[in-house]
Amino acid sequence: MPTDSSPGTLPAREHLPAGDAGTPVLDVVIPVHNEEKDLQPCVRRLHEHLTRTFPYAFRITVADNASTDATPLVAARLAAELPEVTGLRLEQKGRGRALRAVWSASEAPILAYMDVDLSTDLNALLPLVAPLISGHSDLAIGSRLTRSSRVVRGPKREFISRTYNLILRGSLQARFSDAQCGFKAIRREVAQELLPLVEDTGWFFDTEMLVLAERAGLRIHEVPVDWVDDPDSAVHIVKTATDDLRGVWRVGRALATGSLPLDRLTRPFGDDPRDRELAGVPSGLARQLLGFCVVGALSTLFYLLLYGLFRQFTGPQVANALALLVSATANTAANRRLTFGVRGRGGAVRHQAQGLVVFGIGLALTSGSLAALGAATDHPAHSTELAVLIAANLAATVLRFLLLRAWVFPDRPSSEQAHPHQQPHPQQRPYRRLYPNTQVRAGEAADGDRRDVTLHLQPVLPHDTDPGDPR
């Protein structure tokens, strides 16, 4: 049974050691589509900034999304001139598809991306990745919506951005402030487990990744940024907004049904002595007790509401049985998800059946109490009935927790706990880095001959089947 204190798949976060100078610690991805004009100044400016300010080895990866202009040739020329620059070409569009391809195959422990227009001030790059290098956080995002951010953009884009983030807060309970700022980073071991759960291949990729990470309990660090809007942005606002809303609905439905194995992203506690397990104390007991008490309190209120409703149409025994049956079903489902951390549909029917057995025991206790009350007095007051039922339910609650913990949701062995829903990752189709040693002739861009530098790639994941994506 997965709990918050189980180790999950991810290890404890640790500060990255100062490795070999030639091993890149940071891989910055620049996804592009038909950006022959902006690509070269962007890469050169980013390369100069990292060379001057970044204390670790780095790499810049240009991820070309099926460009039809001279973008591949510009990338090839940059890769030939700058040893820290490499390229990748995909034959399908989609920013999410490009990031998934590079991040899934990169060996760098810190993976980042930024938009080619460099709207975000590069001085925020080191603060973005520092919490990931130190082991403090799992993901980091630039935010244009914090109070200390400085943003220059038109009222239309400002309204759309803030409205979208309000929608995320209202529908998906997102707590991060800015989902779509093109300035993010993630630790590689987190990406390896998180990316297979993200379905989107376009602009909603960022949002889906952040929502799933946040729901899994991963730590997201936000960096206020200075950001200047690019007036020549090629983003199709209406279609992007429509696709994003579809994505919000899809992710919200998946989270509501518990179909995502987010417990594979659970991290253990850190090195603080207060976080270590105490001898003789069952793992997760305190958290389970707290969750059970909260669920129990809400279930009791729900039960009393139902009992009062049913009591208007039937006798006390029938009203008690109906109210207890409905509230017990809801109680089992809530404890399954919230108290004992079981997600997904596997075993749900069996858990409900076992919960009904526990319900039968509670019914016997409460019905016996009502029978005893009826034997003691012919016409007990309604308030007396409720007091007897509350006392009986308290006794049944203690027994219910013990049965749920020991029988319905028993602790599994640690090895099983670590991978409760582990599925083999989709097989990654290999791709080749482009242009590392390619010498590009100056006349090739004008000739339009890209046969020597463009390699055709297969989709990276089964989801990557979106030939109609206009992005």
Side-chain angles (χ1 to χ4, degrees):
M1 175 199 61
T3 65
D4 283 352
S5 58
S6 63
T9 301
L10 297 175
R13 290 184 296 264
E14 295 182 355
H15 195 299
L16 295 179
D20 298 334
T23 302
V25 169
L26 173 66
D27 193 346
V28 182
V29 184
I30 303 176
V32 292
H33 174 71
N34 290 344
E35 297 286 355
E36 61 181 356
K37 176 181 177 182
D38 295 332
L39 181 57
Q40 178 166 312
C42 164
V43 172
R44 291 192 180 279
R45 179 182 165 196
L46 175 60
H47 182 271
E48 187 277 332
H49 178 83
L50 288 172
T51 302
R52 179 169 48 86
T53 65
F54 194 65
Y56 294 90
F58 65 89
R59 178 169 59 225
I60 301 172
T61 301
V62 179
D64 176 18
N65 294 259
S67 294
T68 56
D69 62 0
T71 297
L73 294 175
V74 175
R77 186 179 300 111
L78 291 168
E81 295 177 9
L82 305 173
E84 293 84 6
V85 177
T86 185
L88 165 71
R89 177 172 174 82
L90 295 93
E91 294 302 324
Q92 289 179 292
K93 301 177 186 176
R95 180 176 68 177
R97 179 177 289 112
L99 295 178
R100 190 200 313 276
V102 179
W103 284 358
S104 297
S106 178
E107 72 280 7
I110 305 298
L111 310 168
Y113 95 89
M114 62 181 59
D115 292 335
V116 69
D117 55 17
L118 292 186
S119 295
T120 305
D121 183 13
L122 291 180
N123 287 328
L125 182 55
L126 186 55
L128 181 80
V129 301
L132 308 186
I133 294 175
S134 69
H136 175 271
S137 301
D138 299 293
L139 299 93
I141 64 174
S143 176
R144 301 162 294 183
L145 302 180
T146 62
R147 290 188 175 183
S148 56
S149 300
R150 295 187 296 179
V151 177
V152 178
R153 62 176 167 182
K156 179 180 178 181
R157 297 290 291 269
E158 180 77 10
F159 174 78
I160 292 174
S161 178
R162 291 190 178 274
T163 301
Y164 178 64
N165 283 280
L166 284 176
I167 291 174
L168 294 181
R169 288 177 177 270
S171 59
L172 300 178
Q173 289 78 52
R175 295 188 299 273
F176 47 85
S177 65
D178 192 351
Q180 290 288 13
C181 180
F183 196 69
K184 295 182 175 68
I186 185 172
R187 287 177 67 102
R188 182 182 59 175
E189 74 272 14
V190 176
Q192 289 175 342
E193 297 296 331
L194 183 57
L195 292 183
L197 305 181
V198 179
E199 294 186 16
D200 193 79
T201 60
W203 293 95
F204 187 69
F205 175 89
D206 302 53
T207 302
E208 185 171 358
M209 178 181 69
L210 291 175
V211 169
L212 299 186
E214 187 175 73
R215 287 298 186 94
L218 298 180
R219 182 176 293 160
I220 301 175
H221 179 75
E222 295 199 15
V223 177
V225 298
D226 298 341
W227 194 84
V228 179
D229 188 18
D230 178 13
D232 298 326
S233 175
V235 177
H236 303 284
I237 296 179
V238 175
K239 188 179 189 313
T240 299
T242 302
D243 292 343
D244 287 348
L245 292 177
R246 291 197 188 106
V248 169
W249 169 256
R250 174 176 54 79
V251 172
R253 183 176 56 185
L255 292 173
T257 58
S259 60
L260 294 169
L262 298 181
D263 42 7
R264 72 169 55 170
L265 298 171
T266 303
R267 280 205 187 270
F269 287 134
D271 294 330
D272 192 315
R274 295 170 295 181
D275 294 334
R276 296 173 185 167
E277 294 184 1
L278 301 178
V281 177
S283 174
L285 177 59
R287 190 197 63 81
Q288 290 176 2
L289 277 172
L290 177 61
F292 182 80
C293 289
V294 173
V295 172
L298 296 176
S299 298
T300 300
L301 294 176
F302 185 47
Y303 162 79
L304 293 175
L305 178 64
L306 291 174
Y307 179 81
L309 179 64
F310 293 143
R311 188 66 177 85
Q312 299 178 19
F313 307 102
T314 185
Q317 292 287 5
V318 176
N320 173 65
L322 292 176
L324 197 57
L325 176 61
V326 176
S327 62
T329 302
N331 180 277
T332 300
N335 276 311
R336 181 179 187 269
R337 177 67 181 272
L338 302 176
T339 303
F340 298 98
V342 180
R343 295 180 173 86
R345 300 178 182 178
V349 176
R350 174 174 58 83
H351 293 155
Q352 282 293 348
Q354 291 172 310
L356 289 177
V357 174
V358 178
F359 151 77
I361 297 174
L363 179 62
L365 286 173
T366 53
S367 297
S369 300
L370 285 175
L373 179 63
T377 178
D378 292 336
H379 300 287
H382 187 64
S383 59
T384 305
E385 283 185 1
L386 290 179
V388 170
L389 287 174
I390 290 174
N393 268 286
L394 288 176
T397 297
V398 176
L399 182 60
R400 185 183 303 122
F401 177 75
L402 296 176
L403 289 174
L404 288 177
R405 180 176 172 84
W407 179 47
V408 183
F409 307 109
D411 285 329
R412 297 174 182 173
S414 59
S415 59
E416 184 179 354
Q417 212 175 57
H419 305 276
H421 299 285
Q422 186 70 41
Q423 299 292 334
H425 290 179
Q427 183 176 0
Q428 305 290 327
R429 298 182 182 178
Y431 63 80
R432 286 175 284 178
R433 296 281 179 180
L434 305 187
Y435 338 123
N437 299 309
T438 304
Q439 298 297 325
V440 183
R441 295 185 299 275
E444 284 183 336
D447 296 338
D449 184 4
R450 294 187 286 271
R451 291 174 298 176
D452 293 337
V453 295
T454 303
L455 299 183
H456 298 279
L457 303 179
Q458 297 295 326
V460 175
L461 289 177
H463 301 299
D464 296 350
T465 55
D466 190 11
D469 189 350
R471 297 185 290 276

